[in-house]
Each structure stands twice: as structure tokens, then as C-alpha cells.
Amino acid sequence: MTAEARDGGGTTAVGTALAEHLGAPVRATLIATSGSSGTVTRLTLIGDHALLVIQVIAERDGETFLAPGAELRFATADQLWPALTAALPPFDALRAPASAVPGPAQGSAPSTGPVVDRAELVRLLDDEQANLQVSVEAWGDSDAPEVVWPRLWSVVDGRLLDVRTDDGAVAPVERPAGSVAAELQWALVGAVDATTPEPGTGADGEAGQ
């Protein structure tokens, strides 16, 4: 389905939406790879409306590059995860919705899990099935994001690993399926909060008179 058909308003409506999202206060990038294939998805969020720009990662003669062209997807906040999953490698550990995570309610702070020991880490690096880098940014009026939430995920033997560092050393933590969706939602909520003026303040962040 074309971007025009999704938007329902033709080329002019699509162009208007793209222009509006150029300066979106909430932005995210998801780089997903599995083997020699993958996607780069750039997400912008304004209010309840998200725009996804998806490009395919291709390989030719041993060189990796972004294939020409891009797919545009428009989604409301409640449609965002289903729209994103089609761009992720086909592993349930990555694609599961936030509701699949046991324990804390959706939108809460990230939970932890068992740390993978160092000996097993070597094997995991060799047997990785998929990899997902996520960066969520809150933009204000400056030329750089005010807050950035980075995360690196890996799928090995169908298991989801939250790849973190501890004193400079890699320390993967095993997490339940659905954690990617839950933490993306948590970070997006944080980015929206960080870019929303407090009640009674003006656009410059100072209290109104």
C-alpha cells in the first residue's frame, strides 16, 4: 500500500505530514538486523500521531548499504507497535507486545532479569539470530536532543537479551518477550513528558504572568 493510500489525502496531505514531522519533539531510530538483512526505521511522534520511515538494509559484494527508497507508515499511538513489528526480524522475542511482559504495568520503569555469565557470552556472540538498536530522543529548541534513551537488544536461541555494560564490560541481561515493546513505550512516554511544558508555563518554559 502506498503512503498516499495510507494517508487517504493524496500527495499533498503526505507532504504536509512529512513537513510537520521534520521538527517533531519526539524521535526514535530502530536499526534491526538478522543475518545480512535488516531495516532502519526512523520514528517521529507529534501528539497521538506517529510517522515511520522504513528503509531496507541490503548487501552487495560484501558491502552493506541502505537500499534506495523508503516506506512511509502513519499510525496513531495505539497502532504504533503493530506498525513497527513488520519492520523487525521475525522473532517472537522481539515482536511480542508490551502486554506479554509479566510483572509491572506497561509504561513503568524497566525491570531486570538474570545476568548472562561471561563464559556463555562468547557463545552468544557467535550464535546471535537478530540484533536491534533503539534510540529514543527528546528534542527541545536546541540543535541536539535534550535526553536520549539508548538500548541494545539481541536474540539468541530465541531468547531476548538486553545488552548492557558494567564498568565498560558487556553484561547481557535475559528479559521476557515483550520487553522491547514495553521499554520503547516507557521511553516514548518519557520523551513526551520531557518535551511537554508544565501547566502554567509558556513555550519558553517560564511561568506565565
Side-chain angles (χ1 to χ4, degrees):
M1 186 181 295
T2 65
E4 288 82 0
R6 284 192 186 89
D7 187 281
T11 304
T12 301
V14 172
T16 299
L18 289 173
E20 290 175 345
H21 279 262
L22 286 176
V26 177
R27 311 174 198 178
T29 302
L30 294 86
I31 303 175
T33 59
S34 180
S36 60
S37 63
T39 58
V40 175
T41 302
R42 293 178 175 83
L43 180 161
T44 50
L45 184 64
I46 298 178
D48 189 46
H49 295 87
L51 168 65
L52 309 179
V53 180
I54 304 169
Q55 292 180 276
V56 173
I57 298 174
E59 184 177 26
R60 181 190 303 140
D61 300 329
E63 297 288 334
T64 301
F65 62 97
L66 285 177
E71 179 183 356
L72 306 182
R73 295 181 185 173
F74 297 93
T76 57
D78 60 346
Q79 299 169 333
L80 180 55
W81 186 248
L84 275 170
T85 54
L88 299 180
F91 295 96
D92 290 341
L94 285 178
R95 291 185 169 191
S99 59
V101 181
Q106 298 177 37
S108 62
S111 58
T112 58
V115 177
V116 176
D117 63 55
R118 308 272 174 160
E120 187 179 10
L121 176 59
V122 177
R123 181 188 68 81
L124 294 179
L125 293 176
D126 290 334
D127 297 338
E128 184 179 65
Q129 297 168 295
N131 183 285
L132 176 63
Q133 301 175 57
V134 181
S135 177
V136 176
E137 302 173 346
W139 287 75
D141 296 327
S142 64
D143 294 331
E146 296 179 357
V147 186
V148 179
W149 290 265
R151 186 63 90 232
L152 175 60
W153 303 91
S154 178
V155 177
V156 179
D157 296 334
R159 299 157 56 194
L160 179 64
L161 301 180
D162 179 355
V163 184
R164 307 191 184 194
T165 57
D166 182 9
D167 292 331
V170 178
V173 178
E174 187 170 354
R175 303 286 297 279
S179 294
V180 176
E183 291 209 15
L184 177 63
Q185 176 180 315
W186 176 79
L188 290 173
V189 168
V192 170
D193 288 345
T195 56
T196 301
E198 293 291 334
T201 62
D204 59 359
E206 297 183 359
Q209 300 298 317

